[in-house]
Amino acid sequence: MNSVRLRLLLMAAVLILYALSYAFGPAARSAILSWQFSPGLMALGWTMLFTVAMVVLALFFGRIYCSVLCPAGILQEFAFRVGRKFRLARLAFAASPRSWVLMLVVALLVFAGFAGIASLVEPVGWYGRLVAPVVAVINDFRFGTEYSAGYVGLAGVGFALAVGVLVIVPLFRGRWFCDRLCPIGAALGTCSSLGRRRVHIAPEKCVSCLACEKVCPTRCIDGTDKRIHAERCVLCQSCTTTCPTSAIRYGHEFSTERRRVIAGGLAWLGTVMFLSARAMQRGLTSVARWVGSVLPPGAVTADRFFQKCIGCQSCVKACPVGIIMPAAAGVHPAIRFVSGYCQFECTACTQSCPTGALTPLSVEEKKLTRIARTEFSLYNCVVITQKTACGACAEVCPVHALTMVESLGAGPPEPEFNPDVCIGCGACKYVCPARPLAFTITGLAVHERATPPETGRSGDEDGPVDSGGALDFPF
């Protein structure tokens, strides 16, 4: 078996593995996704060893990660090969996009706290937007899951954008995203441009037929100048198998272009400086970056969450009741209490995050974590407006932040709210029959620790608390 076929088989295996990871449990998915460049870097833990290894490999052998390990890149290349087969792709050499400048700009955005913008060019996030909705639809048929209109709408937008970026555009333009927008490709390309081993052209054998330009998915081959731009090459070897004179091969070729070495060195120096500075300090939370969104348990702070989240959709897929809404593009996942509420003993989302944007919580920690602030308006309650006995909120509250007390008048018992015990799970809002609702829930920039209740109950006890679906109350 030649190296090209072996590479294609490895690419297919990796693509299938990462697609299946969205069907696995949250812990398994987190473990698999952690072995990607961005999650390993963002987690600032032992998974950074993978990131470091990819950098070292790029220095010595080229963009190995982009070639056979990045699911977004692999999907683009398969789409490109389909485009070539049906003669949709019309490629020729394109000038360098100054990718190292892009890498520095994205590094600045990420480590200045604007990861929401940077996630627009994060490949694993784009792959998650494509795969997670597909797995959700499959599970819908298998298990009868019902998702809210908000979930379907956002997931649909993210899916459509991902199809365009990873499937449609590559049919005609090759791995355009990898070459023009991906900061990881830019970073590894800077490394590969400094290495000794690369795909290069032997000028004495080249006849300038330009056949290599037509098969290069990143358009990095200048057939007229007889040069391959190593920083953009993804080692697909399509050119080596296409060249009629065997003028292109992979091997030693050392370049001493001073400007390229200086630019690459400065780019990596700047990236390391921002990494170090961001790892050692916490920036101030910008209200504009969270706008009252209810962040999943384990987010700790909005600032920390937005710095680390890459929009991979792992927490969205992990949520058993579908209240974590998908990230479409440049928008981070957030909780919306439209199809259910945050389950008292569920920590699936905190276990699924590969980047550390959500800190893993034990069940005991989760039960005392306030993720949102709840406000109760007695004057909107049906007990007051309709003189109707209800008590749905008190029945469903897992920490007994709501209790029914005797009315001062002759009416039915009224809810009494204790905000110190409330954890912002949204159960009261979900079951409230009043219109307008008697409960308003807003996100917290910093998650808080709630006061432990004297007595509590879990969602597994007998009563109306269920898995987050429709509940039956006598009003």
Side-chain angles (χ1 to χ4, degrees):
M1 182 180 296
N2 60 38
S3 60
V4 175
R5 288 187 178 180
L6 181 62
R7 173 177 173 269
L8 290 175
L9 287 175
L10 180 58
M11 289 165 60
V14 170
L15 196 65
I16 293 171
L17 173 65
Y18 280 96
L20 289 177
S21 71
Y22 283 86
F24 296 156
R29 179 166 57 256
S30 176
I32 293 173
L33 292 178
S34 293
W35 295 105
Q36 281 289 313
F37 196 96
S38 294
L41 185 64
M42 290 294 185
L44 293 176
W46 63 272
T47 52
M48 281 190 68
L49 292 174
F50 176 81
T51 303
V52 173
M54 292 302 101
V55 171
V56 172
L57 284 175
L59 283 169
F60 286 93
F61 303 104
R63 292 168 60 173
I64 300 293
Y65 172 79
C66 302
S67 180
V68 295
L69 294 176
C70 175
I74 293 172
L75 187 59
Q76 289 177 79
E77 183 160 333
F78 280 134
F80 165 66
R81 288 176 178 272
V82 171
R84 275 180 51 195
K85 184 176 182 62
F86 290 95
R87 299 182 180 179
L88 299 175
R90 294 290 187 269
L91 302 182
F93 171 72
S96 171
R98 301 286 182 182
S99 54
W100 63 271
V101 177
L102 170 67
M103 182 185 69
L104 279 181
V105 170
V106 172
L108 277 168
L109 290 172
V110 171
F111 300 113
F114 295 97
I117 299 174
S119 66
L120 288 170
V121 289
E122 208 296 314
V124 177
W126 278 110
Y127 184 72
R129 294 181 184 99
L130 179 69
V131 176
V134 174
V135 176
V137 169
I138 294 174
N139 286 343
D140 186 26
F141 284 104
R142 291 178 61 195
F143 307 116
T145 309
E146 294 184 4
Y147 294 99
S148 68
Y151 179 98
V152 174
L154 285 172
V157 171
F159 177 78
L161 291 172
V163 168
V165 170
L166 302 183
V167 179
I168 303 301
V169 173
L171 287 173
F172 303 92
R173 305 300 293 172
R175 292 178 63 162
W176 184 86
F177 177 85
C178 298
D179 185 41
R180 301 283 155 166
L181 292 179
C182 181
I184 296 171
L188 296 177
T190 303
C191 294
S192 64
S193 67
L194 306 177
R196 289 177 176 270
R197 296 186 67 85
R198 61 181 67 186
V199 179
H200 62 277
I201 299 175
E204 66 279 5
K205 294 183 177 181
C206 179
V207 295
S208 298
C209 66
L210 305 184
C212 53
E213 286 191 15
K214 299 176 182 178
V215 298
C216 179
T218 58
R219 300 183 295 169
C220 68
I221 302 178
D222 185 352
T224 303
D225 197 32
K226 300 182 180 181
R227 176 190 172 191
I228 298 177
H229 293 252
E231 71 276 7
R232 298 163 60 193
C233 177
V234 293
L235 307 177
C236 69
Q237 298 192 52
S238 296
C239 55
T240 62
T241 58
T242 302
C243 182
T245 62
S246 300
I248 305 177
R249 66 184 183 90
Y250 175 76
H252 288 281
E253 184 198 46
F254 183 66
S255 174
T256 57
E257 293 183 25
R258 181 171 298 179
R259 288 193 304 171
R260 181 185 298 178
V261 173
I262 293 175
L266 288 176
W268 273 103
L269 178 62
T271 302
V272 171
M273 288 175 62
F274 282 111
L275 248 178
S276 303
R278 209 56 199 169
M280 291 188 294
Q281 56 138 340
R282 300 281 188 193
L284 294 176
T285 300
S286 168
V287 176
R289 294 207 301 274
W290 65 280
V291 200
S293 297
V294 179
L295 302 181
V300 184
T301 70
D303 185 57
R304 178 182 178 277
F305 179 75
F306 288 120
Q307 289 169 19
K308 289 179 171 287
C309 178
I310 59 173
C312 69
Q313 318 294 305
S314 184
C315 61
V316 175
K317 178 63 183 64
C319 182
V321 291
I323 61 172
I324 303 181
M325 293 293 133
V331 179
H332 292 287
I335 291 177
R336 295 186 183 181
F337 303 108
V338 291
S339 62
Y341 51 87
C342 189
Q343 299 300 287
F344 193 44
E345 295 190 349
C346 176
T347 60
C349 60
T350 76
Q351 306 296 329
S352 71
C353 182
T355 66
L358 299 179
T359 301
L361 298 178
S362 65
V363 174
E364 290 72 22
E365 291 172 327
K366 161 71 185 312
K367 289 180 178 180
L368 292 176
T369 299
R370 182 181 295 125
I371 62 174
R373 187 171 304 282
T374 303
E375 296 181 3
F376 171 59
S377 174
L378 180 62
Y379 299 103
N380 288 346
C381 180
V382 294
V383 172
I384 302 299
T385 60
Q386 302 178 23
K387 303 299 180 182
T388 302
C390 181
C393 56
E395 290 186 47
V396 79
C397 179
V399 295
H400 294 303
L402 287 148
T403 54
M404 303 305 292
V405 298
E406 292 298 325
S407 172
L408 295 177
E414 301 173 355
E416 184 177 71
F417 179 55
N418 181 359
D420 294 333
V421 176
C422 177
I423 58 174
C425 67
C428 54
K429 179 179 180 180
Y430 179 65
V431 302
C432 181
R435 294 296 182 271
L437 294 174
F439 296 93
T440 302
I441 299 181
T442 55
L444 294 170
V446 180
H447 285 183
E448 301 170 349
R449 181 177 174 83
T451 301
E454 293 181 3
T455 58
R457 67 169 182 268
S458 72
D460 296 331
E461 295 183 9
D462 294 336
V465 182
D466 71 353
S467 62
L471 302 178
D472 186 18
F473 291 101
F475 31 69

